[in-house]
mmCIF file with all atom_site columns, all heavy atoms in Angstrom:
data_model
loop_
_atom_site.group_PDB
_atom_site.id
_atom_site.type_symbol
_atom_site.label_atom_id
_atom_site.label_alt_id
_atom_site.label_comp_id
_atom_site.label_asym_id
_atom_site.label_entity_id
_atom_site.label_seq_id
_atom_site.pdbx_PDB_ins_code
_atom_site.Cartn_x
_atom_site.Cartn_y
_atom_site.Cartn_z
_atom_site.occupancy
_atom_site.B_iso_or_equiv
_atom_site.pdbx_formal_charge
_atom_site.auth_seq_id
_atom_site.auth_comp_id
_atom_site.auth_asym_id
_atom_site.auth_atom_id
_atom_site.pdbx_PDB_model_num
ATOM 1   N N   . THR A 1 22  ? -5.517  40.084 -42.783 1.00 0.00 ? 49  THR A N   1
ATOM 2   C CA  . THR A 1 22  ? -5.270  38.667 -42.515 1.00 0.00 ? 49  THR A CA  1
ATOM 3   C C   . THR A 1 22  ? -4.196  38.124 -43.454 1.00 0.00 ? 49  THR A C   1
ATOM 4   O O   . THR A 1 22  ? -3.293  37.393 -43.045 1.00 0.00 ? 49  THR A O   1
ATOM 5   C CB  . THR A 1 22  ? -6.568  37.833 -42.680 1.00 0.00 ? 49  THR A CB  1
ATOM 6   O OG1 . THR A 1 22  ? -7.610  38.464 -41.953 1.00 0.00 ? 49  THR A OG1 1
ATOM 7   C CG2 . THR A 1 22  ? -6.387  36.422 -42.160 1.00 0.00 ? 49  THR A CG2 1
ATOM 8   N N   . TYR A 1 25  ? -0.852  39.505 -42.535 1.00 0.00 ? 52  TYR A N   1
ATOM 9   C CA  . TYR A 1 25  ? -0.412  38.804 -41.316 1.00 0.00 ? 52  TYR A CA  1
ATOM 10  C C   . TYR A 1 25  ? 0.166   37.442 -41.685 1.00 0.00 ? 52  TYR A C   1
ATOM 11  O O   . TYR A 1 25  ? 1.255   37.067 -41.229 1.00 0.00 ? 52  TYR A O   1
ATOM 12  C CB  . TYR A 1 25  ? -1.598  38.653 -40.353 1.00 0.00 ? 52  TYR A CB  1
ATOM 13  C CG  . TYR A 1 25  ? -1.309  37.764 -39.164 1.00 0.00 ? 52  TYR A CG  1
ATOM 14  C CD1 . TYR A 1 25  ? -0.839  38.292 -37.970 1.00 0.00 ? 52  TYR A CD1 1
ATOM 15  C CD2 . TYR A 1 25  ? -1.499  36.379 -39.234 1.00 0.00 ? 52  TYR A CD2 1
ATOM 16  C CE1 . TYR A 1 25  ? -0.568  37.474 -36.876 1.00 0.00 ? 52  TYR A CE1 1
ATOM 17  C CE2 . TYR A 1 25  ? -1.226  35.557 -38.160 1.00 0.00 ? 52  TYR A CE2 1
ATOM 18  C CZ  . TYR A 1 25  ? -0.755  36.103 -36.985 1.00 0.00 ? 52  TYR A CZ  1
ATOM 19  O OH  . TYR A 1 25  ? -0.484  35.295 -35.919 1.00 0.00 ? 52  TYR A OH  1
ATOM 20  N N   . GLN A 1 33  ? 8.602   32.261 -40.202 1.00 0.00 ? 60  GLN A N   1
ATOM 21  C CA  . GLN A 1 33  ? 8.886   30.822 -40.168 1.00 0.00 ? 60  GLN A CA  1
ATOM 22  C C   . GLN A 1 33  ? 10.112  30.476 -40.999 1.00 0.00 ? 60  GLN A C   1
ATOM 23  O O   . GLN A 1 33  ? 10.796  29.496 -40.725 1.00 0.00 ? 60  GLN A O   1
ATOM 24  C CB  . GLN A 1 33  ? 7.645   30.034 -40.618 1.00 0.00 ? 60  GLN A CB  1
ATOM 25  C CG  . GLN A 1 33  ? 6.549   30.032 -39.550 1.00 0.00 ? 60  GLN A CG  1
ATOM 26  C CD  . GLN A 1 33  ? 5.192   29.585 -40.052 1.00 0.00 ? 60  GLN A CD  1
ATOM 27  O OE1 . GLN A 1 33  ? 4.917   29.633 -41.247 1.00 0.00 ? 60  GLN A OE1 1
ATOM 28  N NE2 . GLN A 1 33  ? 4.322   29.181 -39.136 1.00 0.00 ? 60  GLN A NE2 1
ATOM 29  N N   . ASP A 1 74  ? 10.791  34.728 -29.760 1.00 0.00 ? 101 ASP A N   1
ATOM 30  C CA  . ASP A 1 74  ? 9.844   33.653 -29.431 1.00 0.00 ? 101 ASP A CA  1
ATOM 31  C C   . ASP A 1 74  ? 8.508   33.873 -30.131 1.00 0.00 ? 101 ASP A C   1
ATOM 32  O O   . ASP A 1 74  ? 7.635   33.016 -30.095 1.00 0.00 ? 101 ASP A O   1
ATOM 33  C CB  . ASP A 1 74  ? 9.670   33.518 -27.910 1.00 0.00 ? 101 ASP A CB  1
ATOM 34  C CG  . ASP A 1 74  ? 9.290   34.830 -27.245 1.00 0.00 ? 101 ASP A CG  1
ATOM 35  O OD1 . ASP A 1 74  ? 9.166   35.854 -27.953 1.00 0.00 ? 101 ASP A OD1 1
ATOM 36  O OD2 . ASP A 1 74  ? 9.109   34.830 -26.015 1.00 0.00 ? 101 ASP A OD2 1
ATOM 37  N N   . SER A 1 75  ? 8.354   35.019 -30.772 1.00 0.00 ? 102 SER A N   1
ATOM 38  C CA  . SER A 1 75  ? 7.133   35.288 -31.536 1.00 0.00 ? 102 SER A CA  1
ATOM 39  C C   . SER A 1 75  ? 7.428   35.163 -33.022 1.00 0.00 ? 102 SER A C   1
ATOM 40  O O   . SER A 1 75  ? 8.364   35.780 -33.533 1.00 0.00 ? 102 SER A O   1
ATOM 41  C CB  . SER A 1 75  ? 6.616   36.697 -31.226 1.00 0.00 ? 102 SER A CB  1
ATOM 42  O OG  . SER A 1 75  ? 5.813   37.174 -32.295 1.00 0.00 ? 102 SER A OG  1
ATOM 43  N N   . THR A 1 76  ? 6.638   34.351 -33.713 1.00 0.00 ? 103 THR A N   1
ATOM 44  C CA  . THR A 1 76  ? 6.844   34.184 -35.152 1.00 0.00 ? 103 THR A CA  1
ATOM 45  C C   . THR A 1 76  ? 6.540   35.481 -35.897 1.00 0.00 ? 103 THR A C   1
ATOM 46  O O   . THR A 1 76  ? 7.204   35.815 -36.873 1.00 0.00 ? 103 THR A O   1
ATOM 47  C CB  . THR A 1 76  ? 5.936   33.056 -35.690 1.00 0.00 ? 103 THR A CB  1
ATOM 48  O OG1 . THR A 1 76  ? 6.069   31.932 -34.829 1.00 0.00 ? 103 THR A OG1 1
ATOM 49  C CG2 . THR A 1 76  ? 6.330   32.648 -37.095 1.00 0.00 ? 103 THR A CG2 1
ATOM 50  N N   . TYR B 2 31  ? -11.738 45.231 -39.813 1.00 0.00 ? 47  TYR B N   1
ATOM 51  C CA  . TYR B 2 31  ? -11.130 44.686 -41.039 1.00 0.00 ? 47  TYR B CA  1
ATOM 52  C C   . TYR B 2 31  ? -12.182 43.959 -41.889 1.00 0.00 ? 47  TYR B C   1
ATOM 53  O O   . TYR B 2 31  ? -11.962 42.823 -42.331 1.00 0.00 ? 47  TYR B O   1
ATOM 54  C CB  . TYR B 2 31  ? -9.972  43.719 -40.712 1.00 0.00 ? 47  TYR B CB  1
ATOM 55  C CG  . TYR B 2 31  ? -9.117  44.150 -39.556 1.00 0.00 ? 47  TYR B CG  1
ATOM 56  C CD1 . TYR B 2 31  ? -8.991  43.345 -38.425 1.00 0.00 ? 47  TYR B CD1 1
ATOM 57  C CD2 . TYR B 2 31  ? -8.435  45.362 -39.583 1.00 0.00 ? 47  TYR B CD2 1
ATOM 58  C CE1 . TYR B 2 31  ? -8.214  43.742 -37.349 1.00 0.00 ? 47  TYR B CE1 1
ATOM 59  C CE2 . TYR B 2 31  ? -7.662  45.765 -38.501 1.00 0.00 ? 47  TYR B CE2 1
ATOM 60  C CZ  . TYR B 2 31  ? -7.555  44.945 -37.392 1.00 0.00 ? 47  TYR B CZ  1
ATOM 61  O OH  . TYR B 2 31  ? -6.805  45.339 -36.329 1.00 0.00 ? 47  TYR B OH  1
ATOM 62  N N   . LYS B 2 33  ? -14.762 42.426 -41.013 1.00 0.00 ? 49  LYS B N   1
ATOM 63  C CA  . LYS B 2 33  ? -15.385 41.242 -40.400 1.00 0.00 ? 49  LYS B CA  1
ATOM 64  C C   . LYS B 2 33  ? -16.183 41.708 -39.191 1.00 0.00 ? 49  LYS B C   1
ATOM 65  O O   . LYS B 2 33  ? -15.807 42.691 -38.558 1.00 0.00 ? 49  LYS B O   1
ATOM 66  C CB  . LYS B 2 33  ? -14.303 40.247 -39.973 1.00 0.00 ? 49  LYS B CB  1
ATOM 67  C CG  . LYS B 2 33  ? -13.687 39.540 -41.163 1.00 0.00 ? 49  LYS B CG  1
ATOM 68  C CD  . LYS B 2 33  ? -12.223 39.257 -40.968 1.00 0.00 ? 49  LYS B CD  1
ATOM 69  C CE  . LYS B 2 33  ? -11.590 38.844 -42.292 1.00 0.00 ? 49  LYS B CE  1
ATOM 70  N NZ  . LYS B 2 33  ? -10.189 39.241 -42.375 1.00 0.00 ? 49  LYS B NZ  1
ATOM 71  N N   . ASN B 2 354 ? 3.066   30.969 -29.850 1.00 0.00 ? 370 ASN B N   1
ATOM 72  C CA  . ASN B 2 354 ? 3.228   32.173 -29.046 1.00 0.00 ? 370 ASN B CA  1
ATOM 73  C C   . ASN B 2 354 ? 1.861   32.853 -28.875 1.00 0.00 ? 370 ASN B C   1
ATOM 74  O O   . ASN B 2 354 ? 1.113   33.040 -29.830 1.00 0.00 ? 370 ASN B O   1
ATOM 75  C CB  . ASN B 2 354 ? 4.221   33.080 -29.792 1.00 0.00 ? 370 ASN B CB  1
ATOM 76  C CG  . ASN B 2 354 ? 4.484   34.369 -29.069 1.00 0.00 ? 370 ASN B CG  1
ATOM 77  O OD1 . ASN B 2 354 ? 3.678   35.283 -29.120 1.00 0.00 ? 370 ASN B OD1 1
ATOM 78  N ND2 . ASN B 2 354 ? 5.610   34.439 -28.402 1.00 0.00 ? 370 ASN B ND2 1
ATOM 79  N N   . ASP B 2 357 ? 1.252   35.962 -30.985 1.00 0.00 ? 373 ASP B N   1
ATOM 80  C CA  . ASP B 2 357 ? 1.012   35.643 -32.401 1.00 0.00 ? 373 ASP B CA  1
ATOM 81  C C   . ASP B 2 357 ? -0.433  35.213 -32.629 1.00 0.00 ? 373 ASP B C   1
ATOM 82  O O   . ASP B 2 357 ? -1.082  35.649 -33.586 1.00 0.00 ? 373 ASP B O   1
ATOM 83  C CB  . ASP B 2 357 ? 1.938   34.507 -32.873 1.00 0.00 ? 373 ASP B CB  1
ATOM 84  C CG  . ASP B 2 357 ? 3.397   34.952 -32.970 1.00 0.00 ? 373 ASP B CG  1
ATOM 85  O OD1 . ASP B 2 357 ? 3.636   36.167 -32.929 1.00 0.00 ? 373 ASP B OD1 1
ATOM 86  O OD2 . ASP B 2 357 ? 4.268   34.079 -33.076 1.00 0.00 ? 373 ASP B OD2 1
ATOM 87  N N   . THR B 2 364 ? -6.887  39.775 -36.651 1.00 0.00 ? 380 THR B N   1
ATOM 88  C CA  . THR B 2 364 ? -7.104  39.929 -38.104 1.00 0.00 ? 380 THR B CA  1
ATOM 89  C C   . THR B 2 364 ? -8.493  39.418 -38.495 1.00 0.00 ? 380 THR B C   1
ATOM 90  O O   . THR B 2 364 ? -9.022  39.792 -39.521 1.00 0.00 ? 380 THR B O   1
ATOM 91  C CB  . THR B 2 364 ? -6.045  39.178 -38.965 1.00 0.00 ? 380 THR B CB  1
ATOM 92  O OG1 . THR B 2 364 ? -6.296  37.772 -38.911 1.00 0.00 ? 380 THR B OG1 1
ATOM 93  C CG2 . THR B 2 364 ? -4.625  39.477 -38.526 1.00 0.00 ? 380 THR B CG2 1
ATOM 94  N N   . LEU B 2 415 ? -1.996  27.572 -38.750 1.00 0.00 ? 431 LEU B N   1
ATOM 95  C CA  . LEU B 2 415 ? -1.126  28.510 -39.469 1.00 0.00 ? 431 LEU B CA  1
ATOM 96  C C   . LEU B 2 415 ? 0.215   28.667 -38.746 1.00 0.00 ? 431 LEU B C   1
ATOM 97  O O   . LEU B 2 415 ? 1.282   28.617 -39.355 1.00 0.00 ? 431 LEU B O   1
ATOM 98  C CB  . LEU B 2 415 ? -1.846  29.854 -39.562 1.00 0.00 ? 431 LEU B CB  1
ATOM 99  C CG  . LEU B 2 415 ? -1.094  31.012 -40.172 1.00 0.00 ? 431 LEU B CG  1
ATOM 100 C CD1 . LEU B 2 415 ? -1.031  30.812 -41.683 1.00 0.00 ? 431 LEU B CD1 1
ATOM 101 C CD2 . LEU B 2 415 ? -1.803  32.326 -39.865 1.00 0.00 ? 431 LEU B CD2 1
#
Side-chain angles (χ1 to χ4, degrees):
Chain A
T49 311
Y52 171 92
Q60 286 165 339
D101 54 0
S102 156
T103 312
Chain B
Y47 321 120
K49 287 145 193 149
N370 180 282
D373 290 346
T380 74
L431 176 75

